[in-house]
Amino acid sequence: MTHWNKTRDANDLVWLSLDVEGRSVNVLTHEVLAELAGLVAELHQDANIKGLALLSGKAGGFVYGADVREFALFADESAVAEHIASVHSILNQLADLPVPTAVGIAGVAVGGGLELSLCFDWIIASPKIQCGFPEVNLGILPGYGGSGRAYRRVGAEAVLELMLTGKSLDAEKASEIGLVDALVASEADLRGEAEAWLLAQGGKKPTPKTPLKTNIEATIKAISDKHLARIRPDHTPAPFAIIDHVRAHHLDPQAMSAGELDIFPSLLMSAASKGLRRLFDLRDRLRKAGRGESGVKRLHVIGAGVMGGDIAAVAALCGFEVSLSDQDASAIDKAVVRARAFYERRQADIATTLARLTPDFAGEGIAEADLILEAVAENLDVKKAVFAMIESRARPEAILATNTSSIPLEAIAEGLNHPARLVGIHFFNPMPVLPLVEVIEAKTTAPDVMARALAFAGGLKKMPIRCRSAPGFLVNRALLPYIYGAIALMLDGVEADRIDQSMVDFGMPMGPIELADQIGLDVTHDAGLPLGIDDAVAGALQQHIAAGNLGRKSGRGFYQWDGKVATRPRADYPMGAQAELAQKLLAPMVAQCRAAVAEGVVESADMADAGMIFGTGFPGFRGGVLFWAEGKNV
Ligand code: NAI
C-alpha cells in the first residue's frame, strides 16, 4: 500500500493511518479509496480483531475531502454515478464492520474527510479542528454517504446548516451538536483516547444513534428563510436539491445517504458546479499568487482620502506599521476616525490596531518605510511631484507604488531616477470589501519589485492578479464599456430597470445602470476618459454631473436613491428576451477580456476570468466572463 499504513497491537486492535503520498495534505483520490477498499475487505475477513482505529499520518491535518480536480475528469453522469456507488459500497462496509471503530481527527476534516470520519462509531477530536461540508460551494452535496450519517448524529436542523452554509465548525461547536463524541487536550492524546474507548467496548459494536425527531417542514422553512432568500435555483440548484433531499429522506438516515446517488451525479455535471469548481480553483491560484515574502513591514501611505484612508486602515489591521500623510491635515483625522469605526465593526482590538496607524502630516514615515504608496488625486502632474518628493526621502530599497486607476505607469516613471522601483497596486473601492488587487507592471518595473508587490497584496489578505500597464488595466477596461453600452441602450429607449433586471437575472449583484449610480456618475465618466467614451453616453453623464446628480452619493443619478437603495420599478419581463438582452449587454465585456488576454495585459483567460469575478462580482457560478462566453460551463 502506498497511502495507508496498517498495524495490529497486542490487544487485537487494528490501527490505520493515512498519509497520502506526494501530497502535503490528505485527499481522497481514486487511488486512496481503492486501497481503502482492499483494507476494509481484509478487515471483514479477520474474525479475531477487537476494534479498529484511524488516525492521520500527517500531523495537524486529517483529510481535506475528495480530490476536486479528479471530479473534472468524469465523462458523464453515469461515470460519476459509478464512482459514487463504489465509494458508498466501500464506506458502508467500513461502517458495517462488526467491531467497534474510532477515529481521531486533528486539523481539517471537511467534505469527504468528514464523511470518512462519520463511518466510525466514535469520533475523537483535538482542540484545533475544522469540520464541515463545503460541497455546496462547489455546487454539489456530500456524496460519500455523509448526509445521512451526519443527520443520524446531529438531526435535521444542524445537518441542513452544515450542508447549506458550507461553513466549518470548530471543536467546541462540533462537540456541542454531537458531530464529534469526545475532545482531547491535544493531537498527541488522540491515540490514547481511541485505545481506551475501544478497549472499554470489549469488542462489542455500539448501537447507532437515532436522529432527533423534528417537525421537518418547520425546520426547512426556518432554514430556507435564513439561507435561501437571496439565491435562485436557476443559478445554483444545489441548495434547493439539498433541502429536497433532507425532506425526502428525513425518516431514514440510511436512505438519506443512499439517496445522494440520485442527485449527486446531475449536480456535479451541472453548469453551476462546473463554474463553481472553477471559481474554487481560481481563488486558490490567486491566494497562492499573494504568498511569499514582501519584505514590507512599514508602509507609508500618501493621500488620506477614500482609497488611501482605507488602505492604511486595512494594512494596520493586517499587522503592518503604517504612517499616513496628506496635504490636508483634516483628511488624516477623518481617515483615523473611519479606521476606528472599521476596527469596531471588525471587532478588532482597537487600541492595539490604532497604535499601528500613525497620523503623519509631515511625512516622516517616508524615510522609514519599506513601501510607499500614493493615493493622491488622479492627476499626472500631482503624482509626478509627489513621487519626486518621495524619491528624495525614501530608502533606496523601498518600493514606490501608485494606486492610479488610469494613468499609464510609464508616464509617472518618467520623472523618477530609479523607475525600476515603481509598481502599480490598484485597489478597488470599497477597498476593505473587494478582494481583488491589480498589481501593475510597467515596462520599467523590476521583477523583484513586482514579486514583492504581489506578496504585499497577499499580506493585506487580498487576491492579486498581475496586469501590464495599459489603459484601464483589466477590470476598468472590461467593466466600463459594459456600463457605457448599457447607458447607450438606455438612451436608445430601453428602460433602465429592464436592463438592470436582465443582468440580475444573469447573476450579477446589480445591473450596470445601478452600478454606474453606485460608483458615482462623475467617476464613471472620468475613469473612462483614457478608454474613450461614445459621445452620446459622455453627454448624458456630463448632463447629470452638471445638474449635481452624481448617483447614490448625491441621492439622485439615473435612479432616485433612498439611502443605499435605488428606487427601481421592478417589473416582470419575459425571461427569453431578458436573457438575450443580457448577452448583448455583456458583449463589450467579453470583447475587452479577450483583447486584454490577446495583448498580454493579463497572462491568461483564467486570470481575466478571476479578475472579473473578484473585481466586479461577475457570477462565480458562470465560471468567469470568458469561460461563460466560450460555452465551457455547459
Ligand atoms: P480622494 O480625493 O478621496 O483622496 C485624495 C487625497 O489625496 C485627498 O485627501 C487630498 O487631500 C490628497 N492629496 C491630493 N494631492 C496631494 C498631494 N500632493 N500630497 C498629499 N496629499 C494629496 O481620492 P481617491 O478616490 O481616494 O483616489 C485616490 C487615488 O486612488 C486616485 O489615483 C484614484 O484614481 C485611485 N483610485 C480611486 C478609486 C475610487 O473608487 N475612488 C478606486 C481605485 C483607485
Side-chain angles (χ1 to χ4, degrees):
M1 267 177 313
T2 316
H3 308 294
W4 298 85
N5 181 43
K6 182 177 126 183
T7 55
R8 186 175 187 142
D9 69 15
N11 295 314
D12 280 327
L13 302 179
V14 172
W15 293 86
L16 290 183
S17 88
L18 176 62
D19 182 359
V20 177
E21 197 183 72
R23 300 284 189 116
S24 57
V25 297
N26 285 330
V27 280
L28 300 178
T29 62
H30 292 329
E31 219 180 89
V32 168
L33 290 164
E35 286 189 7
L36 177 63
L39 277 171
V40 173
E42 264 173 46
L43 291 168
H44 270 281
Q45 299 298 316
D46 192 335
N48 296 323
I49 62 170
K50 297 285 187 301
L52 170 72
L54 167 63
L55 297 169
S56 172
K58 293 195 199 286
F62 185 67
V63 178
Y64 280 64
D67 186 347
V68 176
R69 286 176 188 107
E70 281 185 354
F71 282 176
L73 305 176
F74 291 116
D76 52 28
E77 282 183 30
S78 68
V80 182
E82 198 179 309
H83 167 72
I84 294 292
S86 98
V87 179
H88 273 240
S89 157
I90 301 165
L91 294 186
N92 287 343
Q93 287 177 52
L94 174 61
D96 291 345
L97 281 170
V99 292
T101 57
V103 59
I105 59 179
V108 172
V110 297
L114 177 57
E115 295 186 278
L116 174 65
S117 309
L118 287 163
C119 297
F120 289 77
D121 302 318
W122 194 248
I123 304 179
I124 309 156
S126 82
K128 284 196 186 135
I129 60 160
Q130 284 173 48
C131 63
F133 287 137
E135 286 85 348
V136 71
N137 299 326
L138 302 176
I140 50 180
L141 84 165
Y144 292 170
S147 61
R149 291 201 175 95
Y151 172 55
R152 186 188 283 290
R153 283 178 159 262
V154 303
E157 188 180 341
V159 82
L160 278 167
E161 280 276 341
L162 280 167
M163 291 198 287
L164 289 174
T165 63
K167 288 197 182 131
S168 290
L169 304 183
D170 60 17
E172 212 172 290
K173 185 74 190 151
S175 149
E176 190 185 305
I177 66 167
L179 195 62
V180 305
D181 298 295
L183 298 179
V184 289
S186 79
E187 185 174 358
D189 300 326
L190 290 172
R191 190 183 168 100
E193 177 69 23
E195 184 178 31
W197 185 82
L198 287 172
L199 290 176
Q201 306 312 302
K204 193 169 169 291
K205 191 156 185 81
T207 36
K209 289 184 185 173
T210 30
L212 293 167
K213 288 224 166 11
T214 30
N215 177 339
I216 194 71
E217 287 310 325
T219 304
I220 286 176
K221 164 94 177 61
I223 294 262
S224 305
D225 290 350
K226 191 162 154 201
H227 298 298
L228 302 190
R230 295 177 60 187
I231 55 173
R232 300 170 35 155
D234 56 333
H235 291 163
T236 48
F240 302 88
I242 288 170
I243 297 254
D244 290 344
H245 174 71
V246 171
R247 175 184 277 125
H249 301 296
H250 73 280
L251 295 174
D252 182 349
Q254 233 168 331
M256 190 181 293
S257 291
E260 292 169 2
L261 273 160
D262 301 333
I263 47 175
F264 187 96
S266 60
L267 283 177
L268 185 73
M269 297 310 276
S270 68
S273 175
K274 282 184 198 160
L276 290 171
R277 280 183 280 129
R278 178 172 162 81
L279 174 71
F280 173 84
D281 187 47
L282 293 175
R283 181 179 287 126
D284 194 44
R285 285 168 61 184
L286 292 201
R287 289 219 175 111
K288 285 182 181 149
R291 287 198 191 143
E293 201 27 76
S294 71
V296 178
K297 293 197 168 56
R298 289 177 179 274
L299 166 72
H300 184 86
V301 179
I302 305 184
V306 175
M307 296 305 291
D310 279 356
I311 295 165
V314 169
L317 185 64
C318 292
F320 292 92
E321 289 296 331
V322 186
S323 45
L324 176 62
S325 63
D326 196 292
Q327 63 186 12
D328 171 3
S330 73
I332 306 176
D333 295 344
K334 282 186 203 140
V336 172
V337 170
R338 264 179 30 234
R340 170 186 278 276
F342 169 61
Y343 300 150
E344 251 167 38
R345 286 198 302 280
R346 290 285 170 103
Q347 296 176 338
D349 179 336
I350 296 176
T352 326
T353 318
L354 273 180
R356 286 196 291 267
L357 176 58
T358 310
D360 180 18
F361 181 68
E364 282 164 4
I366 296 173
E368 307 284 315
D370 306 304
L371 190 150
I372 299 129
L373 183 128
E374 71 75 23
V376 302
E378 186 74 345
N379 174 300
L380 178 59
D381 291 336
V382 174
K383 292 211 192 274
K384 274 182 144 171
V386 165
F387 274 110
M389 179 275 290
I390 295 174
E391 220 181 13
S392 70
R393 296 169 73 178
R395 293 189 300 137
E397 66 278 19
I399 297 174
L400 312 187
T402 170
N403 185 43
T404 181
S405 45
S406 62
I407 302 174
L409 257 69
E410 286 77 8
I412 301 175
E414 264 171 24
L416 290 176
N417 295 324
H418 300 286
R421 299 159 75 186
L422 181 73
V423 64
I425 307 185
H426 183 222
F427 295 93
F428 293 85
N429 184 16
M431 185 273 175
V433 178
L434 291 178
L436 189 79
V437 177
E438 291 174 325
V439 179
I440 316 294
E441 182 172 28
K443 289 194 187 79
T444 44
T445 308
D448 77 300
V449 168
M450 195 63 194
R452 289 174 63 197
L454 286 160
F456 170 66
L460 293 175
K461 302 197 174 72
K462 298 288 174 191
M463 298 199 285
I465 58 166
R466 308 170 72 104
C467 286
R468 285 236 306 268
S469 174
F473 312 130
L474 169 74
V475 169
N476 282 350
R477 172 192 185 141
L479 185 68
L480 288 165
Y482 152 78
I483 294 176
Y484 297 152
I487 296 172
L489 269 184
M490 184 178 65
L491 297 176
D492 282 348
V494 183
E495 307 96 296
D497 181 58
R498 177 185 283 262
I499 291 172
D500 279 349
Q501 191 54 43
S502 75
M503 290 316 307
V504 172
D505 290 341
F506 179 82
M508 288 288 205
M510 71 181 69
I513 306 292
E514 186 174 342
L515 181 61
D517 267 3
Q518 184 83 249
I519 295 173
L521 298 187
D522 47 348
V523 178
T524 301
H525 177 271
D526 295 351
L529 293 175
L531 302 167
I533 319 179
D534 171 279
D535 286 346
V537 173
L541 285 167
Q542 285 156 9
Q543 239 178 6
H544 279 285
I545 296 164
N549 296 331
L550 302 180
R552 179 183 146 182
K553 60 188 166 192
S554 69
R556 194 188 171 98
F558 291 123
Y559 292 108
Q560 185 72 41
W561 284 75
D562 184 5
K564 288 183 178 177
V565 184
T567 23
R568 279 177 45 200
R570 317 233 167 188
D572 276 333
Y573 305 103
M575 287 303 274
Q578 286 297 91
E580 257 175 53
L581 178 56
Q583 295 253 0
K584 187 169 169 180
L585 285 161
L586 285 166
M589 186 186 279
V590 172
Q592 289 303 328
C593 284
R594 285 197 177 123
V597 176
E599 292 165 23
V601 172
V602 281
E603 55 201 33
S604 61
D606 288 355
M607 289 303 109
D609 281 354
M612 297 311 284
I613 292 174
F614 300 116
T616 72
F618 187 88
F621 67 87
R622 304 260 183 208
V625 177
L626 296 177
F627 192 73
W628 166 78
E630 270 135 45
K632 290 192 180 154
N633 61 337
V634 285

